[in-house]
Amino acid sequence: MGEVIVVTSGKGGVGKTTTTANVGTGLAMLDKKVVLIDTDIGLRNLDVIMGLENRIVYNLVDVIEGTCRIRNALIKDKRYPNLYLLPSAQTRDKNAVTPEQMRKLADELRDEFDYIIMDCPAGIEQGFKNAIAGADRALVVTTPEVSAVRDADRIIGLLEANEMKQTHLIVNRIRMDMVKRGDMMSSDDVCEILAIDLIGIVPDDESIVISANQGEPLVGNESLAGRAYLNICKRILGEEVPFLDLDEKQSIFGKLFGRRKK
Amino acid sequence: MGFSDFFKKKGTGSIAKDRLKLVLVSDRAGCSPEIMEQIKNDIIAVISKYIEIDLEGLDIKITQMESESNNGSVPALFANIPIKDLKSPKK
């Protein structure tokens, strides 16, 4: 029986789609059968981040409306044998789908896949409700900025109100140089404010931009971000993985992990 | 921000954290600025019956306070109301 995970944030541009692509690809690398669903109807992005934009025939709305069968709409990623994408529709709007339909779709996919990962649109309206409807677990992505953290707090409240079973935090785009000189909140600070469990810290890394340019998720490669994403995947699978030391000299993240273990 | 912030670590990161804590308390309480304004006006009206207060220096906000009974912080209404003059009963 597969698990449905929604990647959400409230604020736009904090890295939901990048997180979805890398976590999904990473889980597939760890031999799990994974389907990524882009639920951002009208603003489809996950396909280009995954580098699968030229292979789209059918989309999420086609599946929901019964124009095609699920298996016809799923794009198989040739780089990984266990990875599939269900792209969003570009020419429709968010009201083309209801939360009940999304829940039904997720439940149908549970039999065949280990992980069904929903890439949630920004905002708290219909698209958000659709994306979280069938989910067992939420990954809340934020950056160490006041606006992103505030929106994440709102999202966490809404997830609680919708009785989400598990909610974990990913702090994205940490810049250790700025944290060190006191000009950026640390992942510790963000975690303390939001008061939910941290599952990943991803550094602000040039290689993310390069990977997006190429349409190839960087999870699992030697970059710090690539390693951070693979660690998130392992933690999703229940492994205890220490947080990466993003700053070898001062080891703020080692300190953070030590504190969390108490 | 109060004078206690003066002693805290510098850097805009801690400013961000302090601002966030405040904004989230009122976000979570669902207390709108309009309601805060009404509370403030009512408090002024009541206290002004007895004491002359400094309206300029008046500060009322919802903040976090360490709870005495159960450990952890709870939201609290914080009011800093400088007194100009204690009114004599007959004025």
Side-chain angles (χ1 to χ4, degrees):
Chain A
M1 209 41 188
E3 185 180 13
V4 182
I5 301 177
V6 60
V7 179
T8 183
S9 71
K11 187 175 178 299
V14 298
K16 283 180 297 295
T17 303
T18 306
T19 302
T20 306
N22 282 288
V23 168
T25 306
L27 287 169
M29 288 165 93
L30 297 169
D31 287 331
K32 298 294 170 188
K33 195 169 182 191
V34 180
V35 58
L36 309 177
I37 304 181
D38 188 349
T39 68
D40 198 347
I41 301 169
L43 291 171
R44 115 175 137 200
N45 276 325
L46 185 56
D47 53 335
V48 284
I49 296 298
M50 292 297 296
L52 298 172
E53 68 273 20
N54 293 327
R55 298 186 41 212
I56 296 175
V57 182
Y58 295 108
N59 60 51
L60 175 64
V61 177
D62 293 326
V63 173
I64 295 283
E65 290 181 342
T67 314
C68 70
R69 302 171 80 172
I70 296 179
R71 74 172 58 132
N72 296 330
L74 292 181
I75 301 168
K76 186 176 178 345
D77 191 322
K78 288 171 181 157
R79 296 162 292 191
Y80 308 95
N82 297 323
L83 185 58
Y84 295 80
L85 169 71
L86 178 55
S88 166
Q90 184 70 327
T91 53
R92 301 291 295 270
D93 74 81
K94 290 175 170 58
N95 302 316
V97 174
T98 67
E100 290 68 36
Q101 289 170 323
M102 285 301 292
R103 185 176 290 122
K104 188 162 161 280
L105 173 69
D107 285 342
E108 280 172 38
L109 290 165
R110 277 176 205 270
D111 294 331
E112 203 182 329
F113 292 91
D114 297 312
Y115 288 97
I116 299 112
I117 306 186
M118 306 276 184
D119 183 19
C120 181
I124 53 174
E125 295 87 19
Q126 181 75 20
F128 169 74
K129 288 173 190 156
N130 287 342
I132 67 164
D136 309 305
R137 184 205 289 242
L139 299 178
V140 175
V141 183
T142 191
T143 58
E145 293 159 275
V146 280
S147 50
V149 176
R150 184 190 198 178
D151 289 1
D153 187 75
R154 184 102 166 83
I155 287 292
I156 291 164
L158 290 171
L159 291 170
E160 274 169 16
N162 282 278
E163 286 159 0
M164 185 64 63
K165 287 173 218 149
Q166 281 189 80
T167 304
H168 288 116
L169 180 68
I170 295 176
V171 181
N172 197 14
R173 293 211 198 113
I174 282 271
R175 280 186 55 183
M176 280 316 299
D177 54 331
M178 292 190 71
V179 173
K180 263 165 77 181
R181 65 169 193 258
D183 276 334
M184 181 178 271
M185 286 185 283
S186 66
S187 52
D188 213 359
D189 292 332
V190 176
C191 205
E192 180 197 322
I193 288 170
L194 294 176
I196 61 167
D197 288 334
L198 187 65
I199 200 170
I201 306 163
V202 183
D204 190 23
D205 192 332
E206 283 185 6
S207 50
I208 293 279
V209 178
I210 295 167
S211 125
N213 290 345
Q214 296 168 322
E216 283 173 24
L218 54 65
V219 60
N221 77 10
E222 275 312 297
S223 67
L224 270 180
R227 283 154 59 197
Y229 278 122
L230 194 63
N231 284 350
I232 293 172
C233 297
K234 289 178 181 169
R235 292 185 196 111
I236 289 172
L237 297 179
E239 264 183 64
E240 283 220 9
V241 188
F243 285 97
L244 275 184
D245 187 2
L246 299 182
D247 176 46
E248 258 76 35
K249 280 168 245 157
Q250 215 191 330
S251 185
I252 281 177
F253 293 89
K255 231 167 65 189
L256 171 75
F257 187 66
R259 189 175 306 169
R260 284 175 49 76
K261 270 176 82 178
K262 271 180 204 165
Chain B
M1 293 288 115
F3 72 93
S4 63
D5 295 303
F6 183 77
F7 298 102
K8 285 187 189 164
K9 58 189 172 194
K10 285 172 201 151
T12 53
S14 55
I15 297 175
K17 196 176 169 186
D18 291 341
R19 289 178 58 218
L20 255 172
K21 279 183 178 170
L22 282 177
V23 78
L24 289 187
V25 172
S26 49
D27 278 5
R28 287 172 188 168
C31 195
S32 65
E34 292 78 38
I35 291 175
M36 280 306 294
E37 196 57 34
Q38 283 175 22
I39 293 174
K40 186 173 157 180
N41 290 337
D42 287 357
I43 288 176
I44 292 171
V46 171
I47 296 182
S48 296
K49 282 177 24 189
Y50 307 98
I51 302 169
E52 193 181 333
I53 55 178
D54 175 14
L55 293 180
E56 303 271 294
L58 184 116
D59 183 24
I60 292 172
K61 63 190 174 193
I62 291 183
T63 182
Q64 292 278 24
M65 272 187 77
E66 291 303 313
S67 166
E68 283 167 18
S69 49
N70 55 337
N71 34 8
S73 54
V74 290
L77 183 69
F78 170 89
N80 185 11
I81 307 170
I83 297 170
K84 266 189 180 164
D85 191 17
L86 285 173
K87 284 182 183 173
S88 52
K90 268 203 233 166
K91 193 180 175 184

